[in-house]
């Protein structure tokens, strides 16, 4: 059995720490070095040492990260990018052509919607929204012979809807399309979409994968080697790649992903329990709640329910804004998935780009990224802010 096969068969925590890099044969260094180089000495004209010629095409620090990403998602090839949106755009250009069509979530991340609505549509790629939790609605949104991608988030951002990956993969494949799963909210620790039939997994590694709010990045992992070749070509041709220090930080974050995610989930469950009993909260949205419409599917395809929690305020938008402004341990800010807890108002912040569209989010909605601080401190902070 090869070392790579062994790593794929190892437990997640073992893969997170060891996959992608063997200790340096010269020094024994157990951590990949930061190869701060733009070019490489060739062994004769066209004779590439280890396949490296220019760091846009490949860099050893990035190669280690990409190997780790593939191992975590149980895919064949991983690709690292300068941001999650760079990963998305590269994938779209690699797979789609003008005149074709994509199905997207009807509560997609605002940046994803903006990419399709303002950039890809101008390029000639049409899109239709559909609720990821409704397999029949997704099927109905497909345009036979034209739809190339069925694009889902699960859980979605920010309404935490759940899509049945296995069922959606069957629908996409019946139509000759690929299923793309944005796995950012779940992380590879909680969910591996490729094992459920998805063709592509996508991440904003800025979030849980990196985990420390100190680096921006994106990732794609695929199963099919022909698709991998198309992504490889476009990654190099478009050039939206991370530098070696960014790759180093992201890979460093991966090593603690499992223990961080368990703490995120522990704290989120405590926060949900508190919010569910608070009179200023009209609804708590969390897949771990039995009343959540996607609870059964989430229980089947996720290890746990994640660190993202959304809730609606009885006092409407004004109260939602006050809660965001009055929280102290929860930092008011965009992004998510870091060790520190964040709070935001999606309608005015991350999802402002969908205002006035079918994807508009409720004005009384607050989104929490529950960090790994002391859970009692988080609850006390929310209690004060909701006061």
């Amino acid at each position: 059995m090869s070392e790579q096969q062994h790593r794929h068969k190892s437990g997640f925590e073992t893969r997170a720490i060891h996959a992608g890099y063997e200790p340096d044969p010269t020094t024994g260094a157990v951590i990949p070095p930061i190869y701060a180089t733009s070019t490489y000495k060739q062994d004769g004209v066209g004779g590439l040492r280890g396949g490296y010629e220019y760091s846009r095409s490949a860099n050893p620090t990035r190669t280690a990260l990409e190997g780790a990403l593939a191992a975590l998602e149980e895919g064949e090839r991983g690709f690292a990018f300068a941001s999650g949106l760079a990963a998305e755009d590269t994938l779209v250009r690699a797979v789609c052509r003008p005149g074709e069509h994509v199905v997207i979530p009807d509560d997609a991340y605002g940046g994803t919607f903006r990419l399709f609505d303002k950039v890809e549509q101008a390029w000639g790629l049409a899109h239709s929204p559909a609720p990821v939790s409704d397999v029949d609605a997704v099927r109905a949104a497909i345009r036979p012979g034209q739809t190339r991608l069925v694009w889902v988030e699960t859980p979605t951002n920010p309404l935490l809807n759940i899509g049945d990956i296995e069922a959606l993969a069957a629908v996409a494949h019946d139509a000759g399309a690929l299923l793309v799963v944005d796995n950012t909210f779940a992380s590879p620790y909680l969910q591996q979409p490729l094992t459920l039939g998805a063709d592509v997994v996508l991440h904003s590694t800025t979030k849980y994968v990196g985990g420390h709010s100190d680096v921006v990045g994106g990732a794609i992992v695929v199963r099919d080697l022909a698709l991998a070749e198309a992504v490889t070509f476009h990654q190099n041709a478009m050039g939206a790649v991370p530098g070696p220090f960014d790759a180093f930080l992201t890979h460093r974050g991966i090593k603690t992903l499992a223990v961080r995610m368990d703490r995120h989930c522990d704290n989120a469950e405590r926060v949900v329990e508190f919010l569910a009993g608070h009179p200023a909260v009209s609804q708590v949205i969390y897949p771990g709640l039995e009343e959540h419409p996607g609870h059964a599917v989430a229980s089947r395809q996720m290890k746990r329910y994640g660190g993202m929690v959304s809730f609606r305020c009885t006092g409407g938008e004004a109260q939602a804004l006050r809660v965001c402004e009055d929280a102290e341990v929860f930092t008011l800010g965009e992004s998510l998935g870091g060790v520190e807890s964040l709070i935001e108002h999606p309608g005015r912040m991350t999802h402002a780009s969908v205002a006035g569209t079918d994807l508009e989010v409720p004005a009384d909605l607050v989104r929490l990224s529950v960090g790994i601080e002391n859970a009692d401190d988080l609850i006390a902070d929310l209690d004060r802010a909701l006061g």
Side-chain angles (χ1 to χ4, degrees), residues 265-354:
C265 293
D266 288 345
N267 283 357
E269 289 166 8
R270 289 280 310 280
V271 165
V272 165
E273 182 181 18
F274 162 76
L275 291 172
H278 201 286
V281 175
S282 60
Q283 181 187 10
V284 182
I285 305 171
Y286 186 66
L289 291 170
E290 289 189 5
E291 61 265 30
H292 187 289
H295 177 71
V297 174
S299 299
R300 188 169 68 245
Q301 67 188 21
M302 297 177 72
K303 181 181 177 74
R304 295 182 69 182
Y305 304 103
M308 299 302 298
V309 179
S310 293
F311 65 93
R312 301 180 70 172
C313 297
T314 56
E317 182 179 33
Q319 185 191 24
L321 292 171
R322 279 198 309 274
V323 171
C324 291
E325 291 166 356
D326 290 348
E328 295 177 359
V329 181
F330 279 85
T331 300
L332 178 61
E334 298 190 3
S335 198
L336 58 105
V339 292
E340 66 291 305
S341 294
L342 298 175
I343 189 169
E344 67 123 359
H345 185 267
R348 299 277 189 101
M349 295 171 66
T350 52
H351 289 68
S353 63
V354 300

Side-chain angles (χ1 to χ4, degrees), residues 128 138 140 229 344 356:
S128 300
V138 171
E229 288 306 306
E344 67 123 359

Side-chain angles (χ1 to χ4, degrees), residues 205-207 210-216 245-246 249-250 252-253 338 340:
T205 56
T206 311
K207 314 305 194 296
H212 292 76
S213 300
D214 55 6
V215 60
V216 173
F245 188 62
D246 289 352
L249 285 175
T250 303
R252 183 188 187 199
E340 66 291 305

Side-chain angles (χ1 to χ4, degrees), residues 234-245:
H234 283 78
Q235 181 190 43
N236 182 53
M238 296 172 69
V241 295
F245 188 62

Side-chain angles (χ1 to χ4, degrees), residues 5-360:
Q5 288 173 321
H6 174 72
R7 291 281 162 78
H8 275 289
K9 291 181 179 296
S10 298
F12 183 93
E13 295 85 350
T14 303
R15 299 199 307 275
I17 291 170
H18 293 287
Y21 179 75
E22 293 296 320
D24 180 73
T26 302
T27 66
V30 297
I31 299 299
I34 301 171
Y35 284 89
T37 185
S38 60
T39 193
Y40 306 82
K41 182 182 184 297
Q42 298 191 11
D43 297 327
V45 176
L48 308 184
R49 192 177 303 179
Y52 296 101
E53 60 177 329
Y54 186 60
S55 277
R56 171 172 34 81
S57 305
N59 174 284
T61 313
R62 193 174 94 218
T63 298
L65 168 61
E66 291 176 335
L69 290 165
L72 294 190
E73 287 288 7
E74 300 193 30
E76 291 300 318
R77 289 283 304 279
F79 302 88
F81 295 87
S83 69
L85 283 167
E88 292 186 14
D89 187 41
T90 303
L91 175 66
V92 169
R93 309 281 178 164
V95 174
C96 301
R97 296 295 176 264
E100 294 181 333
H101 174 257
V102 177
V103 178
I104 65 171
D106 70 350
D107 60 340
Y109 162 55
T112 297
F113 173 77
R114 182 178 58 229
L115 177 68
F116 282 108
D117 192 56
K118 299 294 190 279
V119 178
E120 311 298 3
Q121 187 163 266
W123 179 60
L125 182 67
H127 62 274
S128 300
V132 302
S133 56
D134 187 336
V135 175
D136 291 333
V138 171
R139 183 185 292 109
I142 290 174
R143 300 177 185 176
Q146 189 182 3
T147 301
R148 290 288 289 128
L149 300 175
V150 173
W151 191 289
V152 302
E153 303 168 10
T154 181
T156 61
N157 179 6
L159 296 177
L160 304 179
N161 286 309
I162 301 296
D164 185 329
I165 296 171
E166 194 169 8
L168 291 168
V171 167
H173 297 159
D174 284 347
L178 301 179
L179 180 68
V180 179
V181 177
D182 184 337
N183 202 29
T184 298
F185 268 32
S187 86
Y189 179 62
L190 300 182
Q191 181 171 269
Q192 293 92 40
L194 296 180
T195 67
L196 299 170
D199 301 285
V200 183
V201 173
L202 187 139
H203 286 275
S204 169
T205 56
T206 311
K207 314 305 194 296
Y208 287 110
V209 172
H212 292 76
S213 300
D214 55 6
V215 60
V216 173
I220 290 170
V221 182
V222 302
R223 296 183 301 170
D224 181 74
L225 292 179
L227 177 58
E229 288 306 306
V231 174
T232 298
F233 176 84
H234 283 78
Q235 181 190 43
N236 182 53
M238 296 172 69
V241 295
F245 188 62
D246 289 352
F248 171 84
L249 285 175
T250 303
H251 197 174
R252 183 188 187 199
I254 282 174
K255 295 176 186 295
T256 60
L257 178 60
V259 291
R260 286 188 286 107
M261 291 309 301
D262 276 334
R263 182 60 173 264
H264 283 298
C265 293
D266 288 345
N267 283 357
E269 289 166 8
R270 289 280 310 280
V271 165
V272 165
E273 182 181 18
F274 162 76
L275 291 172
H278 201 286
V281 175
S282 60
Q283 181 187 10
V284 182
I285 305 171
Y286 186 66
L289 291 170
E290 289 189 5
E291 61 265 30
H292 187 289
H295 177 71
V297 174
S299 299
R300 188 169 68 245
Q301 67 188 21
M302 297 177 72
K303 181 181 177 74
R304 295 182 69 182
Y305 304 103
M308 299 302 298
V309 179
S310 293
F311 65 93
R312 301 180 70 172
C313 297
T314 56
E317 182 179 33
Q319 185 191 24
L321 292 171
R322 279 198 309 274
V323 171
C324 291
E325 291 166 356
D326 290 348
E328 295 177 359
V329 181
F330 279 85
T331 300
L332 178 61
E334 298 190 3
S335 198
L336 58 105
V339 292
E340 66 291 305
S341 294
L342 298 175
I343 189 169
E344 67 123 359
H345 185 267
R348 299 277 189 101
M349 295 171 66
T350 52
H351 289 68
S353 63
V354 300
T357 74
D358 292 340
L359 281 73
E360 185 170 12

